[in-house]
Amino acid sequence: MRLVRQKKQSQKRLQRLLPKVHIKIQDGRFEVLGMNVWYSYWRDPYHLLLTIPWPGFLGLIALFYLTTNALFALAYLAGGDCIANARPGSFLDAFFFSVQTLASIGYGAMFPKTTYANIIVTIEAMMGLVGIAVLTGLAFARFSRPTARVIFSRVAVIAPHNGIPTLMFRAANKRRNQILEAQLRVYLMRDEVTTEGQFIRRFHELNLLRNQTPSFTLSWTAMHPIDELSPLYGMTPESLVSTKTSIVVSLSGIDETVAQVLHARQTYAAHEILWNNQFVDIFYHTSDGHRYIDYNYFHDVVPLE
């Protein structure tokens, strides 16, 4: 009985640490409800402070700062007349003395005059050093988080390329810099039933004609040939929908400006994969022999004749 009771208690502790996760699959898109929203990290304060919007972050800092100084002001008042040149029993004088102590300002008009006050000042000064270091680190971590300004075409197409049906989609770098050692990985995700009759959600990696480039600057058209070895071989638009198929794209590389690894993702549902269509050409030639890219047609497709 004791072992059963301990097992139930451990299960309850695990349920508190690992709450229920709600999953939704819509149009082949695998979505975890509440994922990547800042308020979902309330059990993890560090991630909460990194993901909360800037107004909320600054508001929490202000609230923490005011609360800390108010508590130390009450501690000074509890020591009686322990601050020189402060009005006896004045909360405002004690509060502003705490502000000067916490920030190591030291104007000199008010100063501790008892042992009790010096002990509180020592504790507050140590807390101020640690607090400033932590808040500075959090602010720097928020500013230094790498972000990828990579866009993907709204749809993917299946069209012949060198006589072979090929899955294609576009990616573009919106920044005017380079993403070094960029790499694309593409996965097909669909519902399948094993030979034992078990339902599973299976991932298949799709091979690309070129899955990496030393420098991703402007545009990149990814191509996956649908041959006998492809998981898409023999599939139709109807079978993509019935199996809740989706194409998951993951791009990673090193941002040339900040020398940090960045990531970008895109998911194409079954209805976003257009058969017998091709992308509109975005490369043009000028009269003097130069070439340019017109991103106004980046998402446009035309049906094959």
Side-chain angles (χ1 to χ4, degrees):
M1 291 295 295
R2 183 178 180 182
L3 292 176
V4 174
R5 192 181 305 110
Q6 290 178 349
K7 185 176 180 181
K8 290 182 178 180
Q9 291 176 352
S10 63
Q11 289 177 348
K12 290 181 179 178
R13 286 195 298 267
L14 184 61
Q15 289 176 356
R16 288 195 298 267
L17 294 174
L18 299 175
K20 293 181 180 179
V21 177
H22 298 278
I23 300 172
K24 180 177 70 173
I25 300 178
Q26 183 176 4
D27 296 330
R29 296 179 185 271
F30 187 82
E31 180 182 359
V32 179
L33 299 181
M35 186 177 181
N36 292 329
V37 292
W38 65 267
Y39 50 81
S40 64
Y41 294 103
W42 65 274
R43 293 175 181 268
D44 193 342
Y46 177 73
H47 278 79
L48 175 65
L49 292 172
L50 288 181
T51 54
I52 191 174
W54 273 106
F57 178 73
L58 297 176
L60 284 178
I61 292 178
L63 178 62
F64 174 77
Y65 185 78
L66 295 175
T67 303
T68 301
N69 284 292
L71 292 176
F72 275 105
L74 294 176
Y76 290 123
L77 291 177
D81 187 15
C82 62
I83 303 175
N85 299 325
R87 291 170 294 179
S90 173
F91 177 80
L92 284 179
D93 285 358
F95 179 85
F96 290 123
F97 176 74
S98 173
V99 170
Q100 297 175 23
T101 303
L102 192 65
S104 301
I105 297 174
Y107 287 122
M110 293 186 291
F111 56 88
K113 63 180 184 180
T114 65
T115 303
Y116 172 84
N118 279 291
I119 292 175
I120 301 300
V121 166
T122 302
I123 296 173
E124 186 174 9
M126 293 179 60
M127 184 175 178
L129 290 175
V130 175
I132 291 174
V134 171
L135 293 178
T136 302
L138 285 171
F140 178 79
R142 290 176 63 92
F143 274 113
S144 61
R145 289 173 62 191
T147 56
R149 296 197 63 189
V150 175
I151 59 171
F152 295 90
S153 55
R154 297 191 186 100
V155 296
V157 300
I158 295 179
H161 177 73
N162 291 333
I164 301 176
T166 304
L167 172 71
M168 291 179 280
F169 60 88
R170 283 172 172 169
N173 182 14
K174 294 181 67 176
R175 287 198 175 105
R176 295 295 184 262
N177 69 345
Q178 299 184 53
I179 299 178
L180 306 177
E181 301 301 329
Q183 182 176 4
L184 269 176
R185 304 195 71 174
V186 184
Y187 303 90
L188 181 143
M189 185 169 58
R190 66 187 176 195
D191 294 345
E192 295 185 5
V193 179
T194 65
T195 55
E196 293 79 15
Q198 295 180 345
F199 168 82
I200 60 173
R201 186 75 175 167
R202 177 168 290 177
F203 288 82
H204 300 271
E205 186 169 0
L206 303 182
N207 297 321
L208 301 178
L209 294 179
R210 180 170 60 92
N211 67 344
Q212 59 184 7
T213 178
S215 176
F216 175 32
T217 306
L218 299 175
S219 179
W220 186 354
T221 300
M223 300 182 180
H224 164 70
I226 306 177
D227 51 20
E228 291 82 358
L229 301 177
S230 170
L232 285 170
Y233 184 75
M235 297 197 71
T236 63
E238 292 76 17
S239 62
L240 292 180
V241 174
S242 62
T243 57
K244 295 182 173 60
T245 298
S246 61
I247 304 295
V248 180
V249 181
S250 174
L251 185 146
S252 61
I254 302 174
D255 189 291
E256 178 191 36
T257 305
V258 297
Q260 289 185 329
V261 178
L262 50 81
H263 303 273
R265 294 181 69 253
Q266 174 71 8
T267 301
Y268 294 104
H271 69 274
E272 295 171 329
I273 302 174
L274 306 182
W275 295 66
N276 297 319
N277 281 262
Q278 65 181 6
F279 285 110
V280 174
D281 193 6
I282 59 176
F283 287 89
Y284 297 89
H285 294 269
T286 62
S287 58
D288 54 359
H290 295 289
R291 290 187 296 177
Y292 69 94
I293 298 178
D294 188 352
Y295 286 108
N296 290 321
Y297 302 100
F298 181 78
H299 302 284
D300 294 351
V301 298
V302 294
L304 295 177
E305 298 180 355

